[in-house]
């Protein structure tokens, strides 16, 4: 990673988050939000290539070195958005950009739609809106989520005998990543435990959400966004097959080769995404 990287901890009152700082102190303020079960190292290849930006790459609550939510709390999208606003308040940033991947992109879109006057730029990587649900399935969805919460009490986290085994498990996760990407995520994600190593992420992050937005509600956030927005679609990622959704988006869209983690899997992918976002932010 770049020599410019600085590790910080942000005490927000209700929770403490860890973050990496990239770029000049007087650069355009940007908060970077990673994907589900990833951490701030998601931007380890990309952020040093972005010019003129002061990037605060968070470990979202429950991920990496950041604290977990209290017992009884959950990980709703609105709670993540609140965390981001608290970070901005602490840094004195009235207006700031958002750089989001996957879950981080979803949080970014919701925050930019909810408070359009606060967000100056929106740079998204293979994510826009959360999975949606029809009205008639809402009750069943809540029931499944409640049952899963009860079952979680009896589950134990996986323990890997070696660091290498933990890295290989991440490579083969729900969204596969390259070995290099898994190793970067493991730097902030794996911790020693009796018998080996386990991932730091809060087990509650794997629970199904108790509610989902109707498609019209999800698009309402998109329609309220007032800032310049650029969406990178990974050719082999999650969004490319959702052509109907992509056609509805009033955003600049750029399709680049690679999978869902194209900005992290290798240097070539990170360079392509950086070239796209450097043009988007337009800073010499």
């Amino acid at each position: 990673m770049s020599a410019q990287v600085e590790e910080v901890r942000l005490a927000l009152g209700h929770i403490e988050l860890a973050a990496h700082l990239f770029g000049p102190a007087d650069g355009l303020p940007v908060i970077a939000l990673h994907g589900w079960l990833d951490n701030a190292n998601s931007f380890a290849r990309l952020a040093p290539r972005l010019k003129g930006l002061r990037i605060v790459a968070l470990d979202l609550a429950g991920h990496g070195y950041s604290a977990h939510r209290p017992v009884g709390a959950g990980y709703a999208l609105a709670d993540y958005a609140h965390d981001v606003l608290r970070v901005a308040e602490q840094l004195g940033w009235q207006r700031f950009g958002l750089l989001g991947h996957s879950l981080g992109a979803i949080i970014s879109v919701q925050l930019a739609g909810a408070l359009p006057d606060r967000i100056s730029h929106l740079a998204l990587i293979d994510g826009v809106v959360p999975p949606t649900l029809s009205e008639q399935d809402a009750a069943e969805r809540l029931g499944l989520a409640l049952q899963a919460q009860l079952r979680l009490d009896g589950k134990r986290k996986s323990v890997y005998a070696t660091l290498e085994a933990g890295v290989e498990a991440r490579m083969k996760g729900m969204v596969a990543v390259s070995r290099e990407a898994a190793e970067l995520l493991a730097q902030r994600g794996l911790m020693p435990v009796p018998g080996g190593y386990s991932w730091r992420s809060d087990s509650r992050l794997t629970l199904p959400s108790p509610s989902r937005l109707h498609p019209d509600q999800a698009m309402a956030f998109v329609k309220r966004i007032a800032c310049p927005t650029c969406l990178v679609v990974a050719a082999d990622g999650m969004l490319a097959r959702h052509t109907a959704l992509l056609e509805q988006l009033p955003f600049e869209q750029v399709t680049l080769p690679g999978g869902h983690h194209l900005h992290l899997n290798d240097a070539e992918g990170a360079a392509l995404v950086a070239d796209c976002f450097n043009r988007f932010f337009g800073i010499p």
Side-chain angles (χ1 to χ4, degrees):
M1 291 190 296
S2 165
Q4 289 182 304
V5 179
E6 180 185 350
E7 178 83 26
V8 297
R9 297 198 68 84
L10 301 163
L12 306 182
H14 67 293
I15 198 166
E16 184 174 270
L17 301 184
H20 273 161
L21 302 184
F22 297 88
D26 61 351
L28 179 75
V30 173
I31 298 176
L33 308 175
H34 60 76
W36 178 63
L37 298 183
D38 292 342
N39 53 58
N41 265 4
S42 177
F43 300 103
R45 291 187 188 271
L46 175 61
R49 291 175 164 86
L50 298 177
K51 301 173 183 177
L53 306 181
R54 180 59 163 175
I55 299 173
V56 178
L58 298 177
D59 283 341
L60 292 172
H63 297 76
Y65 291 138
S66 286
H68 295 184
R69 302 269 190 224
V71 174
Y75 288 90
L77 292 171
D79 294 324
Y80 286 126
H82 174 239
D83 294 342
V84 174
L85 283 176
R86 287 289 187 186
V87 169
E89 293 293 317
Q90 185 170 122
L91 297 172
W93 292 355
Q94 178 61 29
R95 276 177 62 80
F96 53 95
L98 290 170
L99 166 60
H101 169 241
S102 194
L103 169 64
I106 293 169
I107 298 165
S108 298
V109 166
Q110 291 209 333
L111 182 51
L115 295 174
D117 58 317
R118 297 294 304 270
I119 309 304
S120 65
H121 298 77
L122 206 52
L124 310 173
I125 304 172
D126 220 43
V128 179
V129 295
T132 55
L133 195 72
S134 62
E135 301 99 319
Q136 60 266 31
D137 296 324
E140 181 181 4
R141 177 78 189 180
L142 176 58
L144 292 173
L146 292 172
Q147 290 175 325
Q149 286 176 332
L150 293 176
R151 289 196 300 268
L152 187 65
D153 291 341
K155 288 187 177 180
R156 283 186 161 188
K157 276 190 173 185
S158 297
V159 175
Y160 305 96
T162 64
L163 280 169
E164 176 63 18
V167 167
E168 289 181 356
R170 183 62 187 87
M171 289 171 62
K172 302 170 185 175
M174 186 178 296
V175 180
V177 298
S178 68
R179 176 173 294 277
E180 293 80 6
E183 288 172 346
L184 282 167
L185 295 173
Q187 288 176 12
R188 299 180 73 79
L190 281 177
M191 63 179 180
V193 297
Y197 298 86
S198 186
W199 287 89
R200 297 178 186 274
S201 51
D202 192 332
S203 297
R204 288 173 291 176
L205 293 168
T206 64
L207 292 172
S209 59
S211 63
R212 286 184 174 176
L213 298 177
H214 182 274
D216 291 344
Q217 291 177 302
M219 288 305 298
F221 287 93
V222 171
K223 292 175 181 177
R224 273 179 51 88
I225 291 172
C227 65
T229 302
C230 180
L231 169 63
V232 166
V233 178
D236 300 316
M238 292 184 170
L239 276 183
R241 62 181 180 270
H242 295 288
T243 54
L245 170 62
L246 293 175
E247 289 170 357
Q248 296 181 64
L249 301 175
F251 304 154
E252 174 189 351
Q253 297 181 35
V254 180
T255 299
L256 296 177
H260 186 57
H261 287 76
L262 74 167
H263 64 300
L264 178 65
N265 275 331
D266 53 53
E268 293 76 15
L272 288 174
V273 177
D275 287 345
C276 176
F277 285 158
N278 280 327
R279 290 193 298 270
F280 168 66
F281 283 103
I283 298 176

